[in-house]
Amino acid sequence: MSLALADVVLSYPDGDRRLTALDRVGVEVARGELAAVVGPSGSGKSSLLAVAATLLRPDAGRVVIAGRDTGGLSERQRTELRRESVGIVFQQANLVPSLTAVEQLLAMAHLRGRRPREARARAEALLERVGLTGAQRRRRPHQLSGGERQRVNLARALFSGPAVLLVDEPTSALDHERGADVMRLLVEVTHEHRTATVLVTHDRSLLPSADSIYEMADGKLTALAAAVSE
Ligand code: ADP
Ligand code: MG
């Protein structure tokens, strides 16, 4: 399994008590597979992604990424693993206002020490793959639509060739048709890039194209449908 969570408990301080955001959550996603998580606001979906991304340490349970149990890792090792193996697409695109689409990806290459020419070719190819034209690839975020910004965001998340791709409500700001387009794209890149993808969404009409479907309610995760193994 490329991503496995087992018996994960996460709580937040809540006055003089603690609020349980994840209550013994377990999920496994193989490479090339997309798992969708639905559930109401406040049910724990973003918390699940934060733990899977090693941005938060759970109170209990195991988080395994690309075969590595993250429990015993230092902060530095976790950051390293995240950079190498986890692509994250947040609800807000979090793009740098002054950079063009290509430069958003190249900024990551710089952090990762890739060779400039090779990095540029990879950035252009990924942006083309997610549907941006040559002209769009040269635009800054304010010159792109919400859907195009999410595509840049997705291309940037794929840049390092991550084993795990975590996507939080990417379609919430888009109309239905554009949301469905982004969903289709996510399924395709999951197969092409062989990522273990977890998609959080509140749009149930997008679910049929997922390999497996889970429901989050009050911090508890339940499988609604499992992928048919081939
Ligand atoms: P969802 O993404 O499904 O809307 P979240 O994972 O964001 O749910 O939140 C789950 C619960 O945890 C909610 O009750 C929320 O208020 C609470 N919560 C989320 N983040 C924090 C935080 N940083 N500190 C305290 N409580 C939080
Ligand atoms: Mg959320």
Side-chain angles (χ1 to χ4, degrees), residues 7-23:
D7 275 330
V8 166
V9 177
L10 177 76
S11 66
Y12 296 112
D14 180 25
D16 46 9
R17 310 184 3 180
R18 294 191 72 84
L19 179 142
T20 304
L22 297 176
D23 190 359

Side-chain angles (χ1 to χ4, degrees), residues 51-73:
V51 169
T54 73
L55 291 167
L56 293 179
R57 273 183 200 272
D59 306 4
R62 291 199 320 141
V63 178
V64 180
I65 294 173
R68 283 184 78 185
D69 191 331
T70 62
L73 301 181

Side-chain angles (χ1 to χ4, degrees), residues 2-159:
S2 232
L3 175 67
L5 275 66
D7 275 330
V8 166
V9 177
L10 177 76
S11 66
Y12 296 112
D14 180 25
D16 46 9
R17 310 184 3 180
R18 294 191 72 84
L19 179 142
T20 304
L22 297 176
D23 190 359
R24 298 178 60 102
V25 162
V27 60
E28 291 189 348
V29 190
R31 294 201 77 153
E33 204 178 285
L34 186 145
V37 178
V38 283
S41 178
S43 59
K45 304 183 302 296
S46 294
S47 299
L48 170 71
L49 293 189
V51 169
T54 73
L55 291 167
L56 293 179
R57 273 183 200 272
D59 306 4
R62 291 199 320 141
V63 178
V64 180
I65 294 173
R68 283 184 78 185
D69 191 331
T70 62
L73 301 181
S74 68
E75 258 342 287
R76 197 199 174 111
Q77 288 171 317
R78 288 158 66 91
T79 303
E80 189 70 14
L81 179 68
R82 196 180 311 129
R83 275 204 195 128
E84 286 286 313
S85 305
V86 185
I88 308 174
V89 179
F90 288 116
Q91 226 162 331
Q92 301 298 327
N94 283 321
L95 300 173
V96 183
S98 61
L99 300 184
T100 67
V102 176
E103 289 165 352
Q104 308 283 343
L105 276 63
L106 292 179
M108 311 268 298
H110 183 67
L111 290 175
R112 294 173 207 279
R114 275 182 188 260
R115 297 230 308 279
R117 265 181 72 173
E118 173 206 341
R120 180 167 288 272
R122 179 168 173 81
E124 295 278 1
L126 274 171
L127 287 166
E128 183 172 23
R129 176 61 191 90
V130 300
L132 268 77
T133 66
Q136 287 169 335
R137 305 203 282 272
R138 256 129 221 104
R139 292 192 189 140
R140 297 180 217 292
H142 73 274
Q143 299 164 315
L144 295 167
S145 71
E148 288 158 1
R149 282 199 291 270
Q150 272 304 16
R151 288 164 191 271
V152 176
N153 209 13
L154 175 60
R156 185 176 58 175
L158 290 168
F159 191 81

